[in-house]
């Protein structure tokens, strides 16, 4: 909880049961964030197949793809630093913990922009058979809306928008997880359809 004191946060990190869990989960989280890059790269390639008069959508998604995982990696780094020397001054442990949670919770701008840009790209794809169906655009706008409350987590210590609150933690993380699953499925379908069309053309 963001309402915990420095001594309580330091005690959490010094707990012999919690400490290895924090360290190894951050290592796993690091790999997970890196694993998002191929998914986002495939998304950029599919946007390039859309019928647009400008390549701005693919470049914009590419920028979001570079920013989003980087922010998650920074949060991961701060948690790992808090657990690296748990015997340090509790105020420093609290600082690293705050840096991690605020970074992880509030920096949703890239994710919101990514979903909105993707939705616009889908809406403006004027092909007879578009790369993605329009419901994918609607889905991305819903995800973007669900992420907005997280941007305000740095302004609340308790309640639904605090970093452990309903909107910022549960709704936001479920939305991100659902986005990854849905987009992985529709990307797979789009790639399979593209291969079938290329083979038929050959």
């Amino acid at each position: 909880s963001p309402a915990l004191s420095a001594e309580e946060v330091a005690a959490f990190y010094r707990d012999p049961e919690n400490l290895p869990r924090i360290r190894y989960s951050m290592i796993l989280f690091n790999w997970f964030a890196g694993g998002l890059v191929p998914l986002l790269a495939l998304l950029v390639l599919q946007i390039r197949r859309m019928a647009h008069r400008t390549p701005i959508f693919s470049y914009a998604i590419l920028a979001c793809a570079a920013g989003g995982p980087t922010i998650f990696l920074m949060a991961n780094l701060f948690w790992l630093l808090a657990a690296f020397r748990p015997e340090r001054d509790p105020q420093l442990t609290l600082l690293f913990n705050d840096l991690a949670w605020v970074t992880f919770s509030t920096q949703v701008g890239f994710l919101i922009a990514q979903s909105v840009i993707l939705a616009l790209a889908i809406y403006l794809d004027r092909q007879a058979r578009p790369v993605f169906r329009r419901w994918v655009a609607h889905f991305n706008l819903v995800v973007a809306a669900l992420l907005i409350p997280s941007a305000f987590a740095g302004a609340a210590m308790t309640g639904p928008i605090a970093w452990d609150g309903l909107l910022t933690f549960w709704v936001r993380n479920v939305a991100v997880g659902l986005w990854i699953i849905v987009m992985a499925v529709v990307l797979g379908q789009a790639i399979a359809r593209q291969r079938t069309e290329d083979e038929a053309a050959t």
Side-chain angles (χ1 to χ4, degrees):
S1 167
L4 293 178
S5 67
E7 289 71 22
E8 289 173 316
V9 171
F12 177 82
Y13 280 91
R14 289 172 182 163
D15 188 307
E17 289 187 7
N18 290 336
L19 189 58
R21 292 176 184 172
I22 296 169
R23 288 172 174 170
Y24 290 115
S25 64
M26 289 306 101
I27 293 169
L28 182 62
F29 187 50
N30 190 8
W31 295 343
F32 173 78
L36 289 176
V37 173
L39 177 72
L40 297 172
L42 287 172
L43 188 57
V44 171
L45 292 175
Q46 292 306 308
I47 291 175
R48 293 189 60 160
R49 294 179 54 228
M50 295 179 181
H52 300 137
R53 294 182 178 179
T54 172
I56 191 169
F57 292 115
S58 55
Y59 288 129
I61 288 289
L62 187 61
C64 292
T70 302
I71 289 171
F72 287 134
L73 289 170
M74 289 300 296
N76 170 43
L77 176 62
F78 294 137
W79 273 311
L80 197 54
L81 283 170
F84 186 65
R85 298 186 193 276
E87 72 280 358
R88 63 162 54 97
D89 184 337
Q91 290 294 336
L92 291 176
T93 302
L94 177 66
L95 175 62
F96 284 125
N97 184 70
D98 285 352
L99 279 169
W101 276 108
V102 171
T103 301
F104 178 74
S105 302
T106 65
Q107 301 305 299
V108 290
F110 281 105
L111 301 179
I112 294 171
Q114 178 178 283
S115 293
V116 172
I117 292 165
L118 177 56
L120 288 174
I122 295 169
Y123 288 137
L124 296 175
D125 185 6
R126 301 302 185 186
Q127 300 178 82
R129 190 173 185 183
V131 175
F132 296 124
R133 296 177 181 175
R134 293 179 73 84
W135 72 262
V136 179
H138 305 331
F139 168 75
N140 271 272
L141 290 180
V142 170
V143 168
L146 292 175
L147 297 179
I148 291 173
S150 297
F152 301 94
M157 300 289 282
T158 59
I161 64 168
W163 73 49
D164 64 340
L166 174 65
L167 296 177
T168 298
F169 187 83
W170 294 106
V171 172
R172 171 250 172 108
N173 289 332
V174 168
V176 171
L178 191 59
W179 185 91
I180 293 170
I181 293 169
V182 170
M183 291 310 302
V185 171
V186 297
L187 273 170
Q189 293 172 343
I191 292 168
R193 189 167 61 246
Q194 179 186 7
R195 287 177 179 170
T196 301
E197 292 170 354
D198 290 345
E199 290 172 1
T202 302

PDB file of all heavy atoms in Angstrom, residues 36-69:
ATOM      1  N   LEU A  36       7.484  -8.657 -25.058  1.00  0.00           N
ATOM      2  CA  LEU A  36       6.436  -7.906 -25.742  1.00  0.00           C
ATOM      3  C   LEU A  36       6.922  -7.299 -27.056  1.00  0.00           C
ATOM      4  O   LEU A  36       6.113  -6.990 -27.930  1.00  0.00           O
ATOM      5  CB  LEU A  36       5.921  -6.781 -24.837  1.00  0.00           C
ATOM      6  CG  LEU A  36       5.097  -7.191 -23.622  1.00  0.00           C
ATOM      7  CD1 LEU A  36       4.762  -5.959 -22.794  1.00  0.00           C
ATOM      8  CD2 LEU A  36       3.817  -7.892 -24.058  1.00  0.00           C
ATOM      9  N   VAL A  37       8.229  -7.127 -27.205  1.00  0.00           N
ATOM     10  CA  VAL A  37       8.771  -6.438 -28.375  1.00  0.00           C
ATOM     11  C   VAL A  37       8.412  -7.142 -29.685  1.00  0.00           C
ATOM     12  O   VAL A  37       7.961  -6.488 -30.637  1.00  0.00           O
ATOM     13  CB  VAL A  37      10.294  -6.233 -28.226  1.00  0.00           C
ATOM     14  CG1 VAL A  37      10.897  -5.665 -29.512  1.00  0.00           C
ATOM     15  CG2 VAL A  37      10.588  -5.317 -27.041  1.00  0.00           C
ATOM     16  N   PRO A  38       8.581  -8.474 -29.812  1.00  0.00           N
ATOM     17  CA  PRO A  38       8.196  -9.121 -31.074  1.00  0.00           C
ATOM     18  C   PRO A  38       6.712  -8.955 -31.402  1.00  0.00           C
ATOM     19  O   PRO A  38       6.355  -8.756 -32.571  1.00  0.00           O
ATOM     20  CB  PRO A  38       8.538 -10.604 -30.844  1.00  0.00           C
ATOM     21  CG  PRO A  38       9.575 -10.590 -29.781  1.00  0.00           C
ATOM     22  CD  PRO A  38       9.231  -9.434 -28.903  1.00  0.00           C
ATOM     23  N   LEU A  39       5.843  -9.000 -30.389  1.00  0.00           N
ATOM     24  CA  LEU A  39       4.418  -8.809 -30.618  1.00  0.00           C
ATOM     25  C   LEU A  39       4.149  -7.419 -31.192  1.00  0.00           C
ATOM     26  O   LEU A  39       3.393  -7.264 -32.167  1.00  0.00           O
ATOM     27  CB  LEU A  39       3.652  -8.998 -29.304  1.00  0.00           C
ATOM     28  CG  LEU A  39       2.144  -8.749 -29.360  1.00  0.00           C
ATOM     29  CD1 LEU A  39       1.455  -9.869 -30.127  1.00  0.00           C
ATOM     30  CD2 LEU A  39       1.566  -8.647 -27.958  1.00  0.00           C
ATOM     31  N   LEU A  40       4.782  -6.412 -30.620  1.00  0.00           N
ATOM     32  CA  LEU A  40       4.587  -5.044 -31.089  1.00  0.00           C
ATOM     33  C   LEU A  40       5.202  -4.837 -32.468  1.00  0.00           C
ATOM     34  O   LEU A  40       4.662  -4.092 -33.292  1.00  0.00           O
ATOM     35  CB  LEU A  40       5.184  -4.058 -30.079  1.00  0.00           C
ATOM     36  CG  LEU A  40       4.519  -4.090 -28.700  1.00  0.00           C
ATOM     37  CD1 LEU A  40       5.295  -3.237 -27.703  1.00  0.00           C
ATOM     38  CD2 LEU A  40       3.073  -3.618 -28.782  1.00  0.00           C
ATOM     39  N   ALA A  41       6.324  -5.514 -32.750  1.00  0.00           N
ATOM     40  CA  ALA A  41       6.941  -5.413 -34.078  1.00  0.00           C
ATOM     41  C   ALA A  41       6.020  -6.014 -35.140  1.00  0.00           C
ATOM     42  O   ALA A  41       5.877  -5.464 -36.241  1.00  0.00           O
ATOM     43  CB  ALA A  41       8.290  -6.122 -34.080  1.00  0.00           C
ATOM     44  N   LEU A  42       5.386  -7.136 -34.824  1.00  0.00           N
ATOM     45  CA  LEU A  42       4.422  -7.734 -35.751  1.00  0.00           C
ATOM     46  C   LEU A  42       3.233  -6.804 -35.988  1.00  0.00           C
ATOM     47  O   LEU A  42       2.708  -6.725 -37.104  1.00  0.00           O
ATOM     48  CB  LEU A  42       3.921  -9.078 -35.210  1.00  0.00           C
ATOM     49  CG  LEU A  42       4.907 -10.247 -35.265  1.00  0.00           C
ATOM     50  CD1 LEU A  42       4.351 -11.448 -34.518  1.00  0.00           C
ATOM     51  CD2 LEU A  42       5.205 -10.614 -36.718  1.00  0.00           C
ATOM     52  N   LEU A  43       2.837  -6.091 -34.960  1.00  0.00           N
ATOM     53  CA  LEU A  43       1.743  -5.133 -35.091  1.00  0.00           C
ATOM     54  C   LEU A  43       2.119  -4.020 -36.062  1.00  0.00           C
ATOM     55  O   LEU A  43       1.309  -3.613 -36.912  1.00  0.00           O
ATOM     56  CB  LEU A  43       1.405  -4.562 -33.715  1.00  0.00           C
ATOM     57  CG  LEU A  43       0.168  -3.686 -33.595  1.00  0.00           C
ATOM     58  CD1 LEU A  43      -1.067  -4.438 -34.067  1.00  0.00           C
ATOM     59  CD2 LEU A  43      -0.002  -3.230 -32.158  1.00  0.00           C
ATOM     60  N   VAL A  44       3.346  -3.528 -35.957  1.00  0.00           N
ATOM     61  CA  VAL A  44       3.826  -2.489 -36.880  1.00  0.00           C
ATOM     62  C   VAL A  44       3.784  -2.992 -38.317  1.00  0.00           C
ATOM     63  O   VAL A  44       3.345  -2.281 -39.234  1.00  0.00           O
ATOM     64  CB  VAL A  44       5.254  -2.044 -36.500  1.00  0.00           C
ATOM     65  CG1 VAL A  44       5.840  -1.124 -37.571  1.00  0.00           C
ATOM     66  CG2 VAL A  44       5.260  -1.344 -35.147  1.00  0.00           C
ATOM     67  N   LEU A  45       4.228  -4.220 -38.545  1.00  0.00           N
ATOM     68  CA  LEU A  45       4.231  -4.782 -39.897  1.00  0.00           C
ATOM     69  C   LEU A  45       2.822  -4.903 -40.467  1.00  0.00           C
ATOM     70  O   LEU A  45       2.607  -4.677 -41.662  1.00  0.00           O
ATOM     71  CB  LEU A  45       4.914  -6.153 -39.886  1.00  0.00           C
ATOM     72  CG  LEU A  45       6.417  -6.148 -39.602  1.00  0.00           C
ATOM     73  CD1 LEU A  45       6.952  -7.571 -39.508  1.00  0.00           C
ATOM     74  CD2 LEU A  45       7.168  -5.359 -40.673  1.00  0.00           C
ATOM     75  N   GLN A  46       1.855  -5.263 -39.623  1.00  0.00           N
ATOM     76  CA  GLN A  46       0.474  -5.374 -40.101  1.00  0.00           C
ATOM     77  C   GLN A  46      -0.121  -4.005 -40.416  1.00  0.00           C
ATOM     78  O   GLN A  46      -0.895  -3.862 -41.367  1.00  0.00           O
ATOM     79  CB  GLN A  46      -0.385  -6.110 -39.067  1.00  0.00           C
ATOM     80  CG  GLN A  46      -0.033  -7.569 -38.890  1.00  0.00           C
ATOM     81  CD  GLN A  46      -0.045  -8.336 -40.205  1.00  0.00           C
ATOM     82  OE1 GLN A  46      -1.017  -8.298 -40.951  1.00  0.00           O
ATOM     83  NE2 GLN A  46       1.046  -9.019 -40.501  1.00  0.00           N
ATOM     84  N   ILE A  47       0.251  -2.992 -39.653  1.00  0.00           N
ATOM     85  CA  ILE A  47      -0.233  -1.635 -39.946  1.00  0.00           C
ATOM     86  C   ILE A  47       0.316  -1.158 -41.278  1.00  0.00           C
ATOM     87  O   ILE A  47      -0.377  -0.462 -42.038  1.00  0.00           O
ATOM     88  CB  ILE A  47       0.138  -0.675 -38.799  1.00  0.00           C
ATOM     89  CG1 ILE A  47      -0.676  -1.020 -37.550  1.00  0.00           C
ATOM     90  CG2 ILE A  47      -0.105   0.779 -39.186  1.00  0.00           C
ATOM     91  CD1 ILE A  47      -0.322  -0.217 -36.329  1.00  0.00           C
ATOM     92  N   ARG A  48       1.517  -1.563 -41.615  1.00  0.00           N
ATOM     93  CA  ARG A  48       2.104  -1.164 -42.904  1.00  0.00           C
ATOM     94  C   ARG A  48       1.344  -1.763 -44.079  1.00  0.00           C
ATOM     95  O   ARG A  48       1.416  -1.254 -45.190  1.00  0.00           O
ATOM     96  CB  ARG A  48       3.572  -1.572 -42.952  1.00  0.00           C
ATOM     97  CG  ARG A  48       4.439  -0.806 -41.971  1.00  0.00           C
ATOM     98  CD  ARG A  48       5.892  -1.070 -42.180  1.00  0.00           C
ATOM     99  NE  ARG A  48       6.306  -0.686 -43.528  1.00  0.00           N
ATOM    100  CZ  ARG A  48       7.567  -0.447 -43.866  1.00  0.00           C
ATOM    101  NH1 ARG A  48       8.519  -0.544 -42.968  1.00  0.00           N
ATOM    102  NH2 ARG A  48       7.865  -0.128 -45.088  1.00  0.00           N
ATOM    103  N   ARG A  49       0.620  -2.849 -43.828  1.00  0.00           N
ATOM    104  CA  ARG A  49      -0.181  -3.467 -44.888  1.00  0.00           C
ATOM    105  C   ARG A  49      -1.509  -2.756 -45.101  1.00  0.00           C
ATOM    106  O   ARG A  49      -2.216  -3.025 -46.079  1.00  0.00           O
ATOM    107  CB  ARG A  49      -0.467  -4.935 -44.537  1.00  0.00           C
ATOM    108  CG  ARG A  49       0.750  -5.834 -44.519  1.00  0.00           C
ATOM    109  CD  ARG A  49       0.354  -7.253 -44.141  1.00  0.00           C
ATOM    110  NE  ARG A  49      -0.719  -7.755 -45.007  1.00  0.00           N
ATOM    111  CZ  ARG A  49      -1.824  -8.359 -44.564  1.00  0.00           C
ATOM    112  NH1 ARG A  49      -2.005  -8.555 -43.265  1.00  0.00           N
ATOM    113  NH2 ARG A  49      -2.743  -8.780 -45.412  1.00  0.00           N
ATOM    114  N   MET A  50      -1.865  -1.870 -44.205  1.00  0.00           N
ATOM    115  CA  MET A  50      -3.151  -1.177 -44.318  1.00  0.00           C
ATOM    116  C   MET A  50      -3.104  -0.131 -45.421  1.00  0.00           C
ATOM    117  O   MET A  50      -2.035   0.360 -45.795  1.00  0.00           O
ATOM    118  CB  MET A  50      -3.517  -0.534 -42.976  1.00  0.00           C
ATOM    119  CG  MET A  50      -3.756  -1.527 -41.865  1.00  0.00           C
ATOM    120  SD  MET A  50      -4.150  -0.701 -40.298  1.00  0.00           S
ATOM    121  CE  MET A  50      -4.339  -2.109 -39.220  1.00  0.00           C
ATOM    122  N   ALA A  51      -4.290   0.201 -45.932  1.00  0.00           N
ATOM    123  CA  ALA A  51      -4.405   1.161 -47.031  1.00  0.00           C
ATOM    124  C   ALA A  51      -4.485   2.585 -46.481  1.00  0.00           C
ATOM    125  O   ALA A  51      -5.570   3.124 -46.266  1.00  0.00           O
ATOM    126  CB  ALA A  51      -5.628   0.843 -47.885  1.00  0.00           C
ATOM    127  N   HIS A  52      -3.323   3.179 -46.216  1.00  0.00           N
ATOM    128  CA  HIS A  52      -3.241   4.558 -45.748  1.00  0.00           C
ATOM    129  C   HIS A  52      -2.413   5.373 -46.734  1.00  0.00           C
ATOM    130  O   HIS A  52      -1.548   4.834 -47.423  1.00  0.00           O
ATOM    131  CB  HIS A  52      -2.571   4.633 -44.371  1.00  0.00           C
ATOM    132  CG  HIS A  52      -3.290   3.868 -43.307  1.00  0.00           C
ATOM    133  ND1 HIS A  52      -2.633   3.088 -42.384  1.00  0.00           N
ATOM    134  CD2 HIS A  52      -4.609   3.755 -43.010  1.00  0.00           C
ATOM    135  CE1 HIS A  52      -3.511   2.532 -41.578  1.00  0.00           C
ATOM    136  NE2 HIS A  52      -4.717   2.911 -41.937  1.00  0.00           N
ATOM    137  N   ARG A  53      -2.664   6.651 -46.751  1.00  0.00           N
ATOM    138  CA  ARG A  53      -1.878   7.528 -47.628  1.00  0.00           C
ATOM    139  C   ARG A  53      -0.581   7.983 -46.970  1.00  0.00           C
ATOM    140  O   ARG A  53       0.235   8.646 -47.594  1.00  0.00           O
ATOM    141  CB  ARG A  53      -2.710   8.762 -48.001  1.00  0.00           C
ATOM    142  CG  ARG A  53      -3.931   8.437 -48.853  1.00  0.00           C
ATOM    143  CD  ARG A  53      -4.678   9.697 -49.222  1.00  0.00           C
ATOM    144  NE  ARG A  53      -5.827   9.420 -50.067  1.00  0.00           N
ATOM    145  CZ  ARG A  53      -6.660  10.342 -50.521  1.00  0.00           C
ATOM    146  NH1 ARG A  53      -6.473  11.622 -50.189  1.00  0.00           N
ATOM    147  NH2 ARG A  53      -7.689  10.004 -51.286  1.00  0.00           N
ATOM    148  N   THR A  54      -0.416   7.659 -45.715  1.00  0.00           N
ATOM    149  CA  THR A  54       0.770   8.087 -44.971  1.00  0.00           C
ATOM    150  C   THR A  54       1.271   6.940 -44.097  1.00  0.00           C
ATOM    151  O   THR A  54       0.467   6.141 -43.604  1.00  0.00           O
ATOM    152  CB  THR A  54       0.431   9.311 -44.085  1.00  0.00           C
ATOM    153  OG1 THR A  54       1.547   9.599 -43.234  1.00  0.00           O
ATOM    154  CG2 THR A  54      -0.784   9.038 -43.225  1.00  0.00           C
ATOM    155  N   PRO A  55       2.583   6.854 -43.887  1.00  0.00           N
ATOM    156  CA  PRO A  55       3.128   5.813 -42.996  1.00  0.00           C
ATOM    157  C   PRO A  55       3.153   6.232 -41.531  1.00  0.00           C
ATOM    158  O   PRO A  55       3.759   5.548 -40.711  1.00  0.00           O
ATOM    159  CB  PRO A  55       4.552   5.628 -43.535  1.00  0.00           C
ATOM    160  CG  PRO A  55       4.931   6.990 -44.025  1.00  0.00           C
ATOM    161  CD  PRO A  55       3.650   7.591 -44.589  1.00  0.00           C
ATOM    162  N   ILE A  56       2.484   7.343 -41.204  1.00  0.00           N
ATOM    163  CA  ILE A  56       2.600   7.890 -39.851  1.00  0.00           C
ATOM    164  C   ILE A  56       2.103   6.930 -38.780  1.00  0.00           C
ATOM    165  O   ILE A  56       2.647   6.876 -37.673  1.00  0.00           O
ATOM    166  CB  ILE A  56       1.856   9.244 -39.752  1.00  0.00           C
ATOM    167  CG1 ILE A  56       2.209   9.924 -38.421  1.00  0.00           C
ATOM    168  CG2 ILE A  56       0.347   9.054 -39.884  1.00  0.00           C
ATOM    169  CD1 ILE A  56       1.759  11.353 -38.321  1.00  0.00           C
ATOM    170  N   PHE A  57       1.089   6.116 -39.106  1.00  0.00           N
ATOM    171  CA  PHE A  57       0.555   5.202 -38.092  1.00  0.00           C
ATOM    172  C   PHE A  57       1.579   4.146 -37.694  1.00  0.00           C
ATOM    173  O   PHE A  57       1.739   3.834 -36.518  1.00  0.00           O
ATOM    174  CB  PHE A  57      -0.728   4.531 -38.598  1.00  0.00           C
ATOM    175  CG  PHE A  57      -1.878   5.472 -38.739  1.00  0.00           C
ATOM    176  CD1 PHE A  57      -2.416   5.754 -39.992  1.00  0.00           C
ATOM    177  CD2 PHE A  57      -2.434   6.098 -37.633  1.00  0.00           C
ATOM    178  CE1 PHE A  57      -3.480   6.627 -40.127  1.00  0.00           C
ATOM    179  CE2 PHE A  57      -3.500   6.977 -37.761  1.00  0.00           C
ATOM    180  CZ  PHE A  57      -4.023   7.241 -39.022  1.00  0.00           C
ATOM    181  N   SER A  58       2.279   3.600 -38.682  1.00  0.00           N
ATOM    182  CA  SER A  58       3.276   2.572 -38.357  1.00  0.00           C
ATOM    183  C   SER A  58       4.446   3.175 -37.582  1.00  0.00           C
ATOM    184  O   SER A  58       4.966   2.559 -36.641  1.00  0.00           O
ATOM    185  CB  SER A  58       3.776   1.871 -39.625  1.00  0.00           C
ATOM    186  OG  SER A  58       4.273   2.807 -40.549  1.00  0.00           O
ATOM    187  N   TYR A  59       4.864   4.406 -37.930  1.00  0.00           N
ATOM    188  CA  TYR A  59       5.952   5.049 -37.196  1.00  0.00           C
ATOM    189  C   TYR A  59       5.525   5.385 -35.768  1.00  0.00           C
ATOM    190  O   TYR A  59       6.309   5.261 -34.823  1.00  0.00           O
ATOM    191  CB  TYR A  59       6.419   6.321 -37.912  1.00  0.00           C
ATOM    192  CG  TYR A  59       7.188   6.068 -39.188  1.00  0.00           C
ATOM    193  CD1 TYR A  59       6.855   6.701 -40.377  1.00  0.00           C
ATOM    194  CD2 TYR A  59       8.261   5.169 -39.199  1.00  0.00           C
ATOM    195  CE1 TYR A  59       7.559   6.467 -41.539  1.00  0.00           C
ATOM    196  CE2 TYR A  59       8.974   4.924 -40.361  1.00  0.00           C
ATOM    197  CZ  TYR A  59       8.615   5.578 -41.524  1.00  0.00           C
ATOM    198  OH  TYR A  59       9.319   5.332 -42.678  1.00  0.00           O
ATOM    199  N   ALA A  60       4.269   5.832 -35.614  1.00  0.00           N
ATOM    200  CA  ALA A  60       3.773   6.181 -34.282  1.00  0.00           C
ATOM    201  C   ALA A  60       3.684   4.945 -33.391  1.00  0.00           C
ATOM    202  O   ALA A  60       4.064   4.987 -32.212  1.00  0.00           O
ATOM    203  CB  ALA A  60       2.405   6.864 -34.396  1.00  0.00           C
ATOM    204  N   ILE A  61       3.191   3.837 -33.944  1.00  0.00           N
ATOM    205  CA  ILE A  61       3.123   2.596 -33.172  1.00  0.00           C
ATOM    206  C   ILE A  61       4.526   2.111 -32.833  1.00  0.00           C
ATOM    207  O   ILE A  61       4.766   1.583 -31.736  1.00  0.00           O
ATOM    208  CB  ILE A  61       2.350   1.510 -33.950  1.00  0.00           C
ATOM    209  CG1 ILE A  61       0.864   1.840 -33.982  1.00  0.00           C
ATOM    210  CG2 ILE A  61       2.551   0.141 -33.325  1.00  0.00           C
ATOM    211  CD1 ILE A  61       0.140   1.697 -32.662  1.00  0.00           C
ATOM    212  N   LEU A  62       5.460   2.305 -33.748  1.00  0.00           N
ATOM    213  CA  LEU A  62       6.852   1.915 -33.486  1.00  0.00           C
ATOM    214  C   LEU A  62       7.415   2.692 -32.299  1.00  0.00           C
ATOM    215  O   LEU A  62       8.098   2.124 -31.443  1.00  0.00           O
ATOM    216  CB  LEU A  62       7.702   2.153 -34.731  1.00  0.00           C
ATOM    217  CG  LEU A  62       9.147   1.659 -34.693  1.00  0.00           C
ATOM    218  CD1 LEU A  62       9.191   0.149 -34.490  1.00  0.00           C
ATOM    219  CD2 LEU A  62       9.880   2.048 -35.973  1.00  0.00           C
ATOM    220  N   ALA A  63       7.106   3.986 -32.228  1.00  0.00           N
ATOM    221  CA  ALA A  63       7.562   4.805 -31.101  1.00  0.00           C
ATOM    222  C   ALA A  63       6.930   4.329 -29.791  1.00  0.00           C
ATOM    223  O   ALA A  63       7.604   4.234 -28.755  1.00  0.00           O
ATOM    224  CB  ALA A  63       7.231   6.273 -31.354  1.00  0.00           C
ATOM    225  N   CYS A  64       5.636   4.005 -29.829  1.00  0.00           N
ATOM    226  CA  CYS A  64       4.961   3.491 -28.637  1.00  0.00           C
ATOM    227  C   CYS A  64       5.541   2.146 -28.224  1.00  0.00           C
ATOM    228  O   CYS A  64       5.692   1.856 -27.032  1.00  0.00           O
ATOM    229  CB  CYS A  64       3.466   3.349 -28.890  1.00  0.00           C
ATOM    230  SG  CYS A  64       2.596   4.918 -29.084  1.00  0.00           S
ATOM    231  N   ALA A  65       5.878   1.328 -29.221  1.00  0.00           N
ATOM    232  CA  ALA A  65       6.460   0.013 -28.936  1.00  0.00           C
ATOM    233  C   ALA A  65       7.817   0.144 -28.262  1.00  0.00           C
ATOM    234  O   ALA A  65       8.203  -0.701 -27.450  1.00  0.00           O
ATOM    235  CB  ALA A  65       6.604  -0.790 -30.232  1.00  0.00           C
ATOM    236  N   ALA A  66       8.541   1.214 -28.585  1.00  0.00           N
ATOM    237  CA  ALA A  66       9.836   1.439 -27.932  1.00  0.00           C
ATOM    238  C   ALA A  66       9.660   1.980 -26.520  1.00  0.00           C
ATOM    239  O   ALA A  66      10.426   1.647 -25.610  1.00  0.00           O
ATOM    240  CB  ALA A  66      10.669   2.411 -28.768  1.00  0.00           C
ATOM    241  N   GLY A  67       8.632   2.811 -26.307  1.00  0.00           N
ATOM    242  CA  GLY A  67       8.455   3.456 -25.018  1.00  0.00           C
ATOM    243  C   GLY A  67       7.804   2.593 -23.959  1.00  0.00           C
ATOM    244  O   GLY A  67       8.234   2.582 -22.805  1.00  0.00           O
ATOM    245  N   GLY A  68       6.758   1.854 -24.335  1.00  0.00           N
ATOM    246  CA  GLY A  68       6.005   1.071 -23.356  1.00  0.00           C
ATOM    247  C   GLY A  68       6.827   0.061 -22.589  1.00  0.00           C
ATOM    248  O   GLY A  68       6.912   0.119 -21.351  1.00  0.00           O
ATOM    249  N   PRO A  69       7.481  -0.900 -23.267  1.00  0.00           N
ATOM    250  CA  PRO A  69       8.302  -1.879 -22.542  1.00  0.00           C
ATOM    251  C   PRO A  69       9.437  -1.241 -21.748  1.00  0.00           C
ATOM    252  O   PRO A  69       9.809  -1.732 -20.689  1.00  0.00           O
ATOM    253  CB  PRO A  69       8.850  -2.770 -23.665  1.00  0.00           C
ATOM    254  CG  PRO A  69       7.838  -2.668 -24.757  1.00  0.00           C
ATOM    255  CD  PRO A  69       7.360  -1.243 -24.692  1.00  0.00           C
TER     256      PRO A  69
END
